[in-house]
Amino acid sequence: MSDAALPEPGSTVPTSLPTPRPDDPTLVAPATDEPTPVEPPSADRRPHERTHHGHTFVDHYEWLRAKDDPEVVAHLEAENAWTRAQVAHLAPLRRAVFTEIKDRTLETDLSVPTRQGGYWYYSRTLEGSQYPLHARVPVTDPADWTPPALEPGEPPAGEQVVLDENAEAAGHEFFSLGSFSVSGDGRLLVHAVDTTGDERYTLRVRDLEAGTNLPDEVPGTFPGAVVTPDGRYVFYPTVDDAWRPYRIWRHEIGTPTTDDVVVLEEPDERFWVGVGLSRSQRFLQIELGSKNTSESWLLEADDPTGDFRPVWTRREGVEYTVEHARLGGRDVLLALHDDDARNFELVALDVPAPGAGPADPADARVVVPHDPQVRLESVDAFAGHVVLGLRRGATPRVAVVALDDAAPDGPWVPRELEFDEPLYSAAIGANPEPDAPLLRVTGTSFVTPPTVFDVDLATGERVVRRRQPVLGGYDPADYVQRREWATAEDGTRIPISLVWRRDAVTLDAAGTGADPAPLLLYGYGAYEISMDPYFSVPRLSLLDRGVVFAVAHVRGGGEMGRAWYEEGRTDRKMNTFTDFVACARHLVEAGWTAPDRMVADGGSAGGLLMGAVTNLAPEMFAGVLAGVPFVDALTSILDPSLPLTVVEWEEWGNPLADPEVYAYMRSYSPYENVPDDASHYPRILAVTSLHDTRVLYVEPAKWVARLRAAGAPALLKIEMSAGHGGVSGRYARWEEIAFEHAWTLDVLGLAATEED
């Protein structure tokens, strides 16, 4: 239900897995020994009444919620069998797309090393391996900040494998790494793994000198554990019955986990908690946050058994985060906050002394004032510079403040790093060392592969450390990206990003579509999450077949600042859906595409968007692809016993307590608004996972059952060993993408050209 970001390798087991064969049965369907169904599954109608605020809704498919019921499992397996049968003709196309992704990817590759303590850390991938391995080499010259030049596939002298994810994943259908924290002396690694997809992680401590795990092991943790710089203690979060991280524990390494101590417990069910270390490693930090309120607690890292204390007392509706810095020779906290500053401002305040109580916000000094046109999103402090992540003009940017040239108490004038593309995403990269003279920055666009830069903070000189290789002769000049603007029902201008292959789309003299092209329109629109320009190797398989890829930056996201988010949540949520329809209509009216040549795509909260626009404007789309879709929104938000429901009330409203919220959500919840006759609906593919704890599998299962009963051409694909993010492992993920791309191309009329 929530898309909150999670707080963005030795063994005798072989470190590689077989590369999937072109005739791998996971890439073709149905399997040769599986009977081909001749009729789609028809779920029984079993009336279940739900009454709130004088309204009764009869839900005929709520019985599908019984996850362990053999009858439910049989129905889900029947849905998979039907889907396999319906897409069996696309097997050659799926193989082709999978092969294209694989052939464009440098499978044996490595990341740019990042310096931490006495080592350079990096990750490597090997051809045939599903997962990366994490390794390090010693720093040979403390004065040299240039990362070592390593060659893919050639382990450097002195390399130590810290963690091999392939070895950890051996014997499991699913694998996810949830925590990765190395002690300051480089002696211990704290890591956590999930092997089912339900996001319950087992925490382990590895002695990196011996290459073995210590007896310390804690099941059922949440991602984001951290080890103290001295390697003596681990702080980790756990969840309550509603899958909300609500406790932070302290574990002393080498002692029984039954002796672990709760250092903070958050009783308010709206709040999540997380723990980490300041960049300076001076402070342990606990962050608590709901959708619109947050609080930070500090403890000196050299006193890990002491008491955490709040920086500012929690104030309803005020969000803030803090970063430790040295300004004018004294310790300060830099706080980003939105108190009377909708797009956030940056202030400096003195570090609250132990036992002194929270600081007074009135004593803070404004160093970067609020700007209604600039959304401040992050702050990072270095020895002589402060770096801001910000958003202006619907694109993310990075700006630097040189403290030598800035008054300690402000105001500061951040200097933005410039890039030569109008649609470009820039972000702060891995920069663990506060004294580093270089700033690691990453950048990408719809046509430029992800690029890692090191920026000299003193001179501004920029060095490209790595640009993601794209094999097969990729040339960015072959592709074009553009920003267009649609007009919403209320007159608001909605940005649309487009990218296409230059020689595959015909433009008229005005520079818009001369002939309607096949087009995939993606949208999300929730949680203030922005859909920024990004490069995708798999997307090339669509672009090279003539598909235009477009992103509708609808309200509810954060592309245009905090107001953009607020205009697409709670009692203004309908703006998200009508914005998307307005973008689709603009693309048709401008000649880019036609309704019978357009597929809509979105996942999770974007899946809610897909269900809503299907009900609002089914005539606008030839197909709808909905990933882990939140389509039974009202049922879920009415049930506080379900994972994440209470924390979501600030995003959607509380229909349990408020009849107006109930009526409003009932007006758009996709499942409840499927008409009795949906035979005119576009083709629909819903993809979900059995172990998803964020959007339960039952939502798309019920939705597809109701759609099909109403005559809609709907398919359900459910992964039986995966979670909210789908399958794990890069080859498995490529197979999943190939499946979805093949379905999309088929809907767009572009599949018939592929030959077996």
Side-chain angles (χ1 to χ4, degrees), residues 427-505:
I428 301 169
N431 293 277
E433 294 290 344
D435 296 328
L438 303 176
L439 173 69
R440 181 70 52 84
V441 176
T442 62
T444 186
S445 76
F446 289 111
V447 301
T448 302
T451 306
V452 177
F453 304 90
D454 274 347
V455 180
D456 189 310
L457 287 168
T459 67
E461 181 184 0
R462 189 179 307 180
V463 178
V464 175
R465 298 297 186 195
R466 180 184 188 273
R467 176 162 287 159
Q468 177 186 331
V470 182
L471 307 182
Y474 173 76
D475 185 351
D478 292 339
Y479 303 85
V480 186
Q481 59 179 347
R482 175 185 295 182
R483 172 70 51 78
E484 294 214 357
W485 299 82
T487 301
E489 291 182 352
D490 61 1
T492 302
R493 298 178 74 232
I494 312 299
I496 309 172
S497 297
L498 300 100
V499 59
W500 66 93
R501 185 177 174 94
R502 190 183 301 274
D503 60 5
V505 176

Side-chain angles (χ1 to χ4, degrees), residues 463-685:
V463 178
V464 175
R465 298 297 186 195
R466 180 184 188 273
R467 176 162 287 159
Q468 177 186 331
V470 182
L471 307 182
Y474 173 76
D475 185 351
D478 292 339
Y479 303 85
V480 186
Q481 59 179 347
R482 175 185 295 182
R483 172 70 51 78
E484 294 214 357
W485 299 82
T487 301
E489 291 182 352
D490 61 1
T492 302
R493 298 178 74 232
I494 312 299
I496 309 172
S497 297
L498 300 100
V499 59
W500 66 93
R501 185 177 174 94
R502 190 183 301 274
D503 60 5
V505 176
T506 302
L507 303 183
D508 59 21
T512 57
D515 295 316
L519 186 144
L520 179 64
L521 180 61
Y522 180 83
Y524 186 74
Y527 304 108
E528 203 179 359
I529 294 174
S530 302
M531 299 294 106
D532 295 319
Y534 68 100
F535 182 81
S536 167
V537 166
R539 187 194 298 139
L540 297 176
S541 292
L542 297 177
L543 302 183
D544 286 356
R545 288 173 170 82
V547 177
V548 176
F549 178 77
V551 179
H553 301 284
V554 296
R555 282 173 284 184
E559 286 89 341
M560 300 285 284
R562 173 53 63 90
W564 201 250
Y565 166 52
E566 292 175 346
E567 287 296 317
R569 64 191 285 258
T570 57
D571 60 352
R572 286 160 286 185
K573 189 61 196 172
M574 281 295 297
N575 285 336
T576 303
F577 315 137
T578 56
D579 285 358
F580 190 88
V581 174
C583 290
R585 290 194 170 123
H586 170 85
L587 293 169
V588 170
E589 292 168 0
W592 284 102
T593 190
D596 63 351
R597 307 213 74 191
M598 181 162 41
V599 169
D601 181 14
S604 195
L608 165 64
L609 172 62
M610 293 301 100
V613 300
T614 301
N615 291 335
L616 281 174
E619 74 283 357
M620 290 302 302
F621 309 101
V624 173
L625 175 58
V628 289
F630 182 37
V631 283
D632 193 15
L634 184 53
T635 300
S636 294
I637 296 298
L638 280 167
D639 188 350
S641 70
L642 290 179
L644 303 175
T645 288
V646 174
V647 302
E648 295 291 312
W649 283 342
E650 289 178 348
E651 179 76 18
W652 311 97
N654 182 355
L656 196 61
D658 190 329
E660 292 185 1
V661 172
Y662 177 87
Y664 189 66
M665 290 194 70
R666 184 163 64 91
S667 73
Y668 68 72
S669 185
Y671 176 64
E672 298 193 39
N673 285 282
V674 173
D676 292 336
D677 181 6
S679 58
H680 59 295
Y681 271 31
R683 290 168 61 180
I684 295 168
L685 172 63

Side-chain angles (χ1 to χ4, degrees), residues 258-336:
T258 52
D259 294 341
D260 290 359
V261 177
V262 176
V263 298
L264 185 143
E265 179 173 330
E266 174 53 57
D268 191 326
E269 294 180 287
R270 299 173 301 160
F271 282 76
W272 284 29
V273 302
V275 63
L277 270 172
S278 65
R279 179 186 308 282
S280 64
Q281 299 209 353
R282 285 281 305 280
F283 294 98
L284 290 154
Q285 297 182 210
I286 294 177
E287 303 288 341
L288 305 94
S290 71
K291 298 298 180 187
N292 63 10
T293 306
S294 61
E295 189 176 37
S296 295
W297 292 57
L298 295 182
L299 174 64
E300 282 72 14
D302 59 4
D303 182 27
T305 60
D307 295 326
F308 283 85
R309 59 194 184 278
V311 175
W312 281 340
T313 300
R314 183 185 307 178
R315 290 176 289 162
E316 188 69 25
V318 175
E319 297 178 66
Y320 74 93
T321 59
V322 297
E323 169 86 343
H324 171 242
R326 293 279 296 176
L327 297 182
R330 70 181 191 270
D331 287 316
V332 301
L333 296 176
L334 297 176
L336 275 179

Side-chain angles (χ1 to χ4, degrees), residues 47-60 634-635 638 662-663 666 671-672 706:
H48 172 82
E49 291 189 354
R50 186 196 71 209
T51 301
H52 292 278
H53 307 296
H55 173 261
T56 297
F57 173 65
V58 180
D59 189 342
H60 294 284
L634 184 53
T635 300
L638 280 167
Y662 177 87
R666 184 163 64 91
Y671 176 64
E672 298 193 39
R706 184 164 184 178

